[in-house]
Amino acid sequence: MLLTATTAQGELLIRVTEGADSAIPLSVVPFSESGSMPPGDKLSSIVQADLAMSGEFRTLPPEKMLSLPSTRSDVYFRDWRMLGQRYVLVGELTRNGDRVQARYELFDVNREERILGETAAAPASNMRSLAHHISDKVYEAITGVPGAFSTKLAYVTLERTNGNARYRLQVSDVDGKRAKVRLESKEPILSPAWSPDGKKLAYVSFETGKPAIFVHQLNSGQRKKVADFPGLNSAPSWSPDGQSLLMTLSKDGNAEVYQMNLQTGNTTKLTNHWAIDTEAVWDSSGKGVFFTSDRSGGPQVYYMATPGAEPRRITFGSRYNARPRPDNKGEYVYYVHQREGNFLIARTNLENDEETVLTRTRSDESPSVSPNGRMLIYATKNSGKSVLTVISSDGGAAYSLPAAEGNVRDPAWGPIVQ
């Protein structure tokens, strides 16, 4: 086992595989530049890629633009209407020493109005963060929903060389860039879960020869083994206040859902049934708990309105529904759904119980919802290789994030950190 925070051997690659028919036409004009800019992707290119991969925008390639304005006075709305554009983003970059300042404006083409204008700055070495910040602001100005492009992904990669396995817990930007290895081991690493403040990860590691749950401080690299009971220690999930973890333990004989106070280490049993109860997660209000149980004869999603209350079955559409993940508004719960021998990602509307199958990739697992509720990441198979795929929450658009080397699995979408 190796603790590290080095750059990953290979970042995730991004491949847009499907667009949404209802995508909004938007132009991100290449920003003008004053002073020497750092090498790498252009800031405006990163913004364009962010907005396109959300599935909610259809961006116009710069070579098809009739002009490249950088200020309001250079924007001729008639030209952008002729190109069928709804919004246009323009801006200027200025290098001042080791910092880059971005001044940008977003315009509604039909109304010929500015709907966003801001100046933001970042170190020249951190241009990607500045670009993701601008993407978040543009996304929110148009949709009214906070953007999630500045958030992080955690995931596990697996490489096999000469029969030897190497597991790596990695953290990257949402577009797969700037990946860093946080933990490396010859033994399996499973189920990473973000703390609400984005500073810690909980996960399962087999480094001692059996499953144990650890909490890992990302800034310092320090970590603590919090659950190493006899039997199963699995499926950690944080409480909204970050003070406790839900987990599955079999220390008393059967696999049940427990809540552990991280300050005291005390555990409270939340389920008590002969069946296997696992994969628990809090609902959007932080009061109720979703979990998977086979008490009806096969894995199904259940809901407890309060910890320890009588569970209510949520899923009925097939004999296998597992790994529940609710959205941030309490409208939907997403899960792995088996149909005709395929494993897919589905969701149930919690108001009317309507079930919708969202994916068509047949070997899907480990869904994780973006913190703004507008996107979903999951692991799947592509040409026999495990990759990550991101779709819009209604299944209308998708892009894949295969690892440059090895297989990638168990994605977890980090929180929006102010």
Side-chain angles (χ1 to χ4, degrees), residues 70-89:
S70 58
T71 64
R72 166 67 176 84
S73 60
D74 296 330
V75 176
Y76 296 97
F77 292 104
R78 180 187 59 187
D79 291 348
W80 297 102
R81 281 196 293 270
M82 186 172 65
L83 291 169
Q85 298 304 288
R86 176 71 184 277
Y87 298 96
V88 59
L89 176 70

Side-chain angles (χ1 to χ4, degrees), residues 26-352:
L26 180 149
S27 289
V28 180
V29 180
F31 287 15
S32 66
E33 298 179 355
S34 176
S36 176
M37 295 297 147
D41 295 336
K42 295 290 187 181
L43 181 143
S44 53
S45 297
I46 299 170
V47 174
Q48 182 181 28
D50 281 348
L51 296 170
M53 74 185 186
S54 73
E56 298 187 52
F57 299 98
R58 182 172 65 252
T59 58
L60 184 70
E63 59 268 21
K64 294 186 178 182
M65 298 176 184
L66 300 179
S67 60
L68 301 176
S70 58
T71 64
R72 166 67 176 84
S73 60
D74 296 330
V75 176
Y76 296 97
F77 292 104
R78 180 187 59 187
D79 291 348
W80 297 102
R81 281 196 293 270
M82 186 172 65
L83 291 169
Q85 298 304 288
R86 176 71 184 277
Y87 298 96
V88 59
L89 176 70
V90 303
E92 301 172 302
L93 298 177
T94 304
R95 178 76 176 259
N96 294 310
D98 64 349
R99 294 184 68 79
V100 173
Q101 177 179 282
R103 185 207 56 77
Y104 62 95
E105 298 174 283
L106 177 68
F107 297 96
D108 184 310
V109 173
N110 293 334
R111 294 188 296 170
E112 299 189 7
E113 292 181 355
R114 188 179 86 160
I115 60 174
L116 174 65
E118 185 187 62
T119 298
S125 60
N126 202 15
M127 290 283 283
R128 297 197 73 87
S129 292
L130 180 58
H132 293 323
H133 167 81
I134 294 172
S135 301
D136 287 338
K137 292 294 185 180
V138 170
Y139 185 91
E140 185 170 10
I142 295 175
T143 67
V145 176
F149 305 108
S150 296
T151 57
K152 299 290 185 180
L153 295 179
Y155 51 91
V156 177
T157 58
L158 169 61
E159 280 188 78
R160 294 189 183 275
T161 305
N162 298 324
N164 297 318
R166 181 63 62 179
Y167 296 86
R168 296 183 178 94
L169 174 65
Q170 305 202 35
V171 173
S172 76
D173 289 2
V174 293
D175 57 6
K177 302 298 183 181
R178 300 193 293 189
K180 289 186 177 181
V181 178
R182 300 296 181 167
L183 179 68
E184 186 170 340
S185 176
K186 295 184 293 184
E187 302 299 332
I189 303 169
L190 305 172
S191 307
W194 288 92
S195 63
D197 61 7
K199 296 180 179 180
K200 298 181 286 291
L201 283 172
Y203 52 83
V204 177
S205 173
F206 281 72
E207 64 201 58
T208 61
K210 62 183 291 290
I213 297 173
F214 290 78
V215 170
H216 192 128
Q217 296 273 354
L218 294 178
N219 288 341
S220 67
Q222 294 181 344
R223 64 194 197 123
K224 179 181 179 181
K225 187 190 298 182
V226 297
D228 190 17
F229 299 103
L232 192 65
N233 302 269
S234 68
S237 178
W238 293 85
S239 62
D241 61 7
Q243 300 301 307
S244 66
L245 286 175
L246 296 176
M247 58 184 66
T248 300
L249 306 175
S250 62
K251 63 187 182 71
D252 296 327
N254 195 53
E256 304 285 359
V257 174
Y258 288 75
Q259 182 177 2
M260 172 180 282
N261 183 307
L262 290 174
Q263 290 187 333
T264 66
N266 294 334
T267 60
T268 302
K269 184 186 288 189
L270 304 187
T271 63
N272 188 14
H273 197 274
W274 56 263
I276 296 174
D277 296 333
T278 186
E279 299 176 332
V281 62
W282 293 99
D283 67 10
S284 61
S285 71
K287 298 178 181 179
V289 175
F290 292 95
F291 65 99
T292 303
S293 177
D294 64 353
R295 61 186 63 195
S296 61
Q300 297 293 339
V301 175
Y302 287 79
Y303 177 70
M304 292 186 292
T306 57
E310 182 65 24
R312 174 172 63 91
R313 183 172 167 178
I314 298 296
T315 54
F316 294 89
S318 77
R319 296 179 62 183
Y320 183 103
N321 295 284
R323 187 67 180 264
R325 290 296 182 266
D327 69 359
N328 63 326
K329 294 183 178 179
E331 296 178 352
Y332 299 99
V333 61
Y334 298 81
Y335 45 88
V336 179
H337 168 85
Q338 187 181 31
R339 178 171 294 190
E340 298 177 353
N342 298 319
F343 290 92
L344 309 163
I345 305 300
R347 73 179 186 186
T348 287
N349 185 312
L350 294 172
E351 182 176 344
N352 59 22

Side-chain angles (χ1 to χ4, degrees), residues 360-410:
R360 297 179 291 277
T361 36
R362 302 197 302 181
S363 298
D364 307 335
E365 61 185 23
S366 305
S368 181
V369 187
S370 67
N372 64 1
R374 301 296 280 258
M375 292 180 282
L376 182 79
I377 191 168
Y378 62 95
T380 188
K381 296 283 188 181
N382 188 344
S383 301
K385 185 177 180 180
S386 297
V387 303
L388 304 184
T389 294
V390 177
I391 60 174
S392 54
S393 58
D394 61 359
Y399 68 93
S400 65
L401 291 169
E405 301 177 18
N407 292 288
V408 58
R409 57 185 65 181
D410 268 357

